[in-house]
Amino acid sequence: MRWFPRTARSSQPVAEPGPERELFDEAFQKRLEGLALMSRRLQSAGLRAERPSKKAGSGVEFADYREYSAGDDLRHVDWNAYARSERLLLRLHEEEEDLCVYLLVDSSASMGLGSPSKLDYAKQLTAALAYVSLSHLDRVALLALADGVVSSLPAMRGKQRIFSVFAFLRPLTAQGRTDLAAAATNFVAAHKRRGVVVLVSDLYDFAGWQTAISTLRYAKFEPYVLQLVDASDEDPGLGGDIELIDAETGEARALTVTPALLQRVRAARQRHERAVAAFCAQKQVPYFALDTRVTPQDAVLRILRRGGMLG
Amino acid sequence: MELARLTLGQLGLLLAGAWAVTLALHLLRVRRKRAVVASLQLWEQALAPRPTAQLLSRLRQLLSLLLSLCIVTLLALAFADPTRSTADGGTSVLLIDAGLSMQATDVAPSRLGLALRRAHQLVDSRNPADAMIVVQMDDAPRALCPMTRDAAELHAALGAVHPSRARTRFAPAAQLALQMLRGTLHPKLLLLSDGAFSVDAQLLQRLRASGVVLEHVRFGKRSHNLRVSALAARRYPLRPDQTEVLVEAENGGDALEHPTLQLFGDGQLLQHDTLEVPGHARVRRFYENLGGVGATLRAQLTLDGGTHDDLAADDEARAELTPVAHKHVLLVGPGNRYLEAALLLEEYLDVDQLAPAQYRSTRGYDLVIFDGVAPRELPAAPALYLAPPAGTTQPISVGAEVSRPYFDQQLRAHPLLRFVALGDVNVAHARRLRPARDDVVVASSADTPLLVTGVREGRRFVVLGFDVRDSDLPLRVAWPLLLLNVIEALSPSPTQLPSSTQQDLDARADIAPHSLPWTPPRVAHTHGSAWWTSVHESPWWLLTGAALLLLLVEWVSYQRRWIT
């Protein structure tokens, strides 16, 4: 699979040479390096990294003052402030920590539709996000979901691990039914360290998508929802008397496709999209609806960046 | 309303079968195309049960079934061919053109065959209360049955129609029909013809004024026809074994044709020629000195590859030539080899020879030749006298002998001397002839007539004043020619030997079908509907058209998604 079209030869390869070198467009790669996945909450520190945390620590960036209490390190007392106000105030500094980023890719059968398929689109999107995170020394873990966690790539750091990401994504195929609630439950149970969770899915699990997002939130993860939308979802490209087959369940339904019916299907899909958007807005979960007709590059550099997911 | 093709029971069976098949087809599940979608749940939401939608869906299915049933019903009714009927019958004259042009095969099997087929249908589909008569029309109209309502009798009359080689004349047939329809109820003239005849507008006006409804069913498609428009043959009077033939070919089509003309004499091919006949033109050919014609002559036109045009009947013409009459000649004399040899040259002469003592009469002979003798009485037949003895008085007086006469005076324009040169003939001696005042001296030597002709008692005679054996005349070509001229003068052959058959010069090779310039009269429908059984009256085409219209509506509504 070719991840991104190559447009220029790099003078500084990402990592060791190999077939994966071709998977990234170098111009796109450079632009990705200037981005970072934004987290609205400073997560608990792990290893020191480039990412600031709310925890007062040994960083150099001033964060805030607080009242001195017994046992505090006197080295952090701001004596100048004491001279002006005769109060003992403790200078708080931001601790620079690494961020744990979980990229959850829906690999159910419904993701196999579209041209390019939604799964291929999700792979490219996930690879780009993984590279952004790895470039900032974040810990990146990948998980493929269907009716549970199908496969996973443990958390890792460093740009050179992008090839592991590619190796993980490449063999993913669209199969199985979607059960986001079960998958989220499995994920939460298996990952104790909190962090950012990016869910890339078409969310055609009408009964479970809300539960899945809520589960992530309740477990103190910071979820991002990227809903992939493809035109084939609402128009099979055939008219008249046809038999529709559900890609996941195999269920068949005979019906007559008319322009009015197509319009109603489009309206139903938009309702579904609006429902997800409303739920996410209510729960303060960043939500992006990405049409597969938009290239992954545009989606990353324009939509996600403009939406505040990448900074 | 009656059904022309089916009974009500048959129609019922047909409808039941058609409906059953339609229902079965309607109930059969349609094999649908398959399409895979990401989530059928999305579609289920769009298809959420709506009472109006379900009702519409059922109505749509019902409407489709009703539409199908309507279409098959209309088609079945159209097949049954319903016709109107009333108790009040009319009178019809079924005029069938059987003229030459109706033998054209531009429609299968022929125009006449098609017309007869149509006529049988008309008889079957007419109102049973209608009286009808069948009249064959060619050069003269012939009624083939009485006015009757019996279909069997009408069918039998149609079976008696036979093709004619005569050209069609509409006026006598129309006048006969007018006579037949005069005073009848709802008179109607059904004309089954190609219309390839001249029409008198005044006659049509009379028909119209008489209240006769003329309905013309036209047959034929084109005019691809060549014909032998004229054939004439005659023998040469002096050479009856040779014939002069005139052939004329006419092209009734628009395109230039190159037909092959063949002349057959007694079945043997005599002449083979290729003509070039432009469209709507005539081309003539003369053939002179045609030998071997015999008793019959046939001219035949064929197209490339031996094929014929649409009307083969006029592609040939025949001529019967009268046989050449043999002349019976009685030769009375002691014997003259020169004379006998000359008479043998003409094959149409039957010569009987008698000694002078045996001569009694000339009964049964066309002419008699007296060689060196003279009868006591004038013979009853024309006679040639060769060197009559001196002292003869009949038919002219014969005097003393004259030595070495010469033909120094001749009537060269006289028929006896045609092709004959006597100027240098040497004669040893001759007898002086003394012709009467009305006799003609054809040749003479000074004042001595040598060749005299005239009429006695209504019978021609020719006298030659010397014995040919006393001259060098038998050694010359002039001798048999002179003898044949004399025989022709005494017993002339018919001056005209046409013995030919000419085609009808008024006939036309153009057999293009034409419509009559007929404006239908305004018919008073006293009983609320037209009375007659018309060939266009059957509403089968209306029913078929309605079925097609329904199909069109269904197709358009499906294509345009009027019903979703």
Short mmCIF file of all heavy atoms in Angstrom, two decimals, chain A residues 30-49:
data_model
loop_
_atom_site.label_atom_id
_atom_site.label_comp_id
_atom_site.label_asym_id
_atom_site.label_seq_id
_atom_site.Cartn_x
_atom_site.Cartn_y
_atom_site.Cartn_z
N LYS A 30 7.53 16.82 6.39
CA LYS A 30 8.12 17.99 7.06
C LYS A 30 7.04 18.84 7.71
O LYS A 30 7.22 19.39 8.79
CB LYS A 30 8.89 18.82 6.04
CG LYS A 30 10.23 18.17 5.70
CD LYS A 30 11.02 19.06 4.75
CE LYS A 30 12.36 18.41 4.45
NZ LYS A 30 13.15 19.21 3.48
N ARG A 31 5.92 18.92 7.02
CA ARG A 31 4.85 19.72 7.60
C ARG A 31 4.27 19.01 8.83
O ARG A 31 3.83 19.66 9.76
CB ARG A 31 3.76 19.96 6.56
CG ARG A 31 4.28 20.71 5.35
CD ARG A 31 3.18 21.10 4.42
NE ARG A 31 2.30 22.10 5.01
CZ ARG A 31 1.29 22.67 4.38
NH1 ARG A 31 1.06 22.35 3.12
NH2 ARG A 31 0.54 23.56 4.98
N LEU A 32 4.27 17.69 8.79
CA LEU A 32 3.77 16.96 9.96
C LEU A 32 4.68 17.19 11.17
O LEU A 32 4.23 17.25 12.31
CB LEU A 32 3.69 15.47 9.65
CG LEU A 32 2.57 15.02 8.72
CD1 LEU A 32 2.67 13.52 8.46
CD2 LEU A 32 1.21 15.37 9.30
N GLU A 33 6.00 17.32 10.88
CA GLU A 33 6.94 17.48 11.98
C GLU A 33 6.70 18.79 12.74
O GLU A 33 7.04 18.91 13.91
CB GLU A 33 8.37 17.42 11.45
CG GLU A 33 8.78 16.00 11.11
CD GLU A 33 10.16 15.95 10.49
OE1 GLU A 33 10.71 17.02 10.17
OE2 GLU A 33 10.68 14.83 10.31
N GLY A 34 6.12 19.77 12.04
CA GLY A 34 5.85 21.04 12.71
C GLY A 34 4.57 21.03 13.51
O GLY A 34 4.22 22.02 14.14
N LEU A 35 3.86 19.91 13.47
CA LEU A 35 2.57 19.83 14.17
C LEU A 35 2.73 19.01 15.45
O LEU A 35 3.67 18.25 15.61
CB LEU A 35 1.52 19.16 13.28
CG LEU A 35 1.18 19.89 11.98
CD1 LEU A 35 0.20 19.07 11.17
CD2 LEU A 35 0.60 21.26 12.30
N ALA A 36 1.76 19.21 16.33
CA ALA A 36 1.72 18.41 17.55
C ALA A 36 0.29 18.16 17.91
O ALA A 36 -0.60 18.99 17.65
CB ALA A 36 2.43 19.14 18.68
N LEU A 37 0.04 16.99 18.46
CA LEU A 37 -1.32 16.67 18.90
C LEU A 37 -1.60 17.44 20.17
O LEU A 37 -0.85 17.37 21.14
CB LEU A 37 -1.40 15.16 19.15
CG LEU A 37 -2.79 14.59 19.35
CD1 LEU A 37 -3.62 14.79 18.08
CD2 LEU A 37 -2.69 13.12 19.70
N MET A 38 -2.68 18.23 20.09
CA MET A 38 -2.98 19.08 21.23
C MET A 38 -3.81 18.31 22.25
O MET A 38 -4.80 17.68 21.91
CB MET A 38 -3.77 20.31 20.77
CG MET A 38 -3.01 21.17 19.77
SD MET A 38 -1.47 21.78 20.41
CE MET A 38 -2.06 22.97 21.58
N SER A 39 -3.36 18.45 23.50
CA SER A 39 -4.13 17.86 24.57
C SER A 39 -4.59 18.98 25.46
O SER A 39 -3.82 19.85 25.86
CB SER A 39 -3.24 16.87 25.35
OG SER A 39 -3.92 16.44 26.50
N ARG A 40 -5.87 18.97 25.75
CA ARG A 40 -6.39 20.06 26.57
C ARG A 40 -6.07 19.86 28.04
O ARG A 40 -6.15 20.75 28.83
CB ARG A 40 -7.90 20.16 26.36
CG ARG A 40 -8.26 20.66 24.99
CD ARG A 40 -9.73 20.48 24.75
NE ARG A 40 -10.06 19.06 24.81
CZ ARG A 40 -11.24 18.61 25.21
NH1 ARG A 40 -12.16 19.45 25.61
NH2 ARG A 40 -11.49 17.34 25.25
N ARG A 41 -5.78 18.64 28.40
CA ARG A 41 -5.44 18.38 29.81
C ARG A 41 -4.02 17.85 29.87
O ARG A 41 -3.64 17.02 29.05
CB ARG A 41 -6.39 17.34 30.40
CG ARG A 41 -7.81 17.79 30.48
CD ARG A 41 -8.58 16.86 31.39
NE ARG A 41 -8.54 15.49 30.96
CZ ARG A 41 -9.54 14.92 30.27
NH1 ARG A 41 -10.60 15.62 29.92
NH2 ARG A 41 -9.46 13.67 29.95
N LEU A 42 -3.28 18.35 30.86
CA LEU A 42 -1.93 17.81 31.06
C LEU A 42 -2.08 16.48 31.75
O LEU A 42 -2.71 16.37 32.81
CB LEU A 42 -1.09 18.77 31.90
CG LEU A 42 -0.76 20.08 31.20
CD1 LEU A 42 0.00 21.00 32.14
CD2 LEU A 42 0.07 19.80 29.97
N GLN A 43 -1.57 15.52 31.15
CA GLN A 43 -1.72 14.17 31.68
C GLN A 43 -0.65 13.91 32.73
O GLN A 43 0.32 14.65 32.90
CB GLN A 43 -1.57 13.17 30.53
CG GLN A 43 -2.54 13.40 29.41
CD GLN A 43 -4.00 13.27 29.85
OE1 GLN A 43 -4.31 12.54 30.80
NE2 GLN A 43 -4.88 14.01 29.20
N SER A 44 -0.82 12.88 33.50
CA SER A 44 0.15 12.54 34.54
C SER A 44 1.48 12.21 33.89
O SER A 44 1.53 11.66 32.80
CB SER A 44 -0.35 11.33 35.32
OG SER A 44 -0.48 10.23 34.45
N ALA A 45 2.51 12.63 34.59
CA ALA A 45 3.82 12.52 33.97
C ALA A 45 4.29 11.09 33.91
O ALA A 45 4.04 10.29 34.78
CB ALA A 45 4.83 13.35 34.76
N GLY A 46 5.00 10.84 32.94
CA GLY A 46 5.71 9.59 32.81
C GLY A 46 7.15 9.96 32.65
O GLY A 46 7.76 10.55 33.54
N LEU A 47 7.66 9.72 31.46
CA LEU A 47 9.02 10.15 31.18
C LEU A 47 9.02 11.63 30.87
O LEU A 47 8.03 12.19 30.43
CB LEU A 47 9.58 9.36 29.99
CG LEU A 47 9.69 7.85 30.21
CD1 LEU A 47 10.16 7.19 28.93
CD2 LEU A 47 10.65 7.58 31.38
N ARG A 48 10.14 12.27 31.11
CA ARG A 48 10.23 13.68 30.75
C ARG A 48 10.26 13.79 29.25
O ARG A 48 10.94 13.06 28.55
CB ARG A 48 11.52 14.27 31.34
CG ARG A 48 11.50 14.37 32.87
CD ARG A 48 12.83 14.90 33.36
NE ARG A 48 13.14 16.20 32.78
CZ ARG A 48 12.70 17.35 33.32
NH1 ARG A 48 11.93 17.34 34.39
NH2 ARG A 48 13.03 18.50 32.79
N ALA A 49 9.55 14.76 28.83
CA ALA A 49 9.47 14.93 27.37
C ALA A 49 9.26 16.38 27.06
O ALA A 49 9.49 17.25 27.89
CB ALA A 49 8.35 14.08 26.81
#
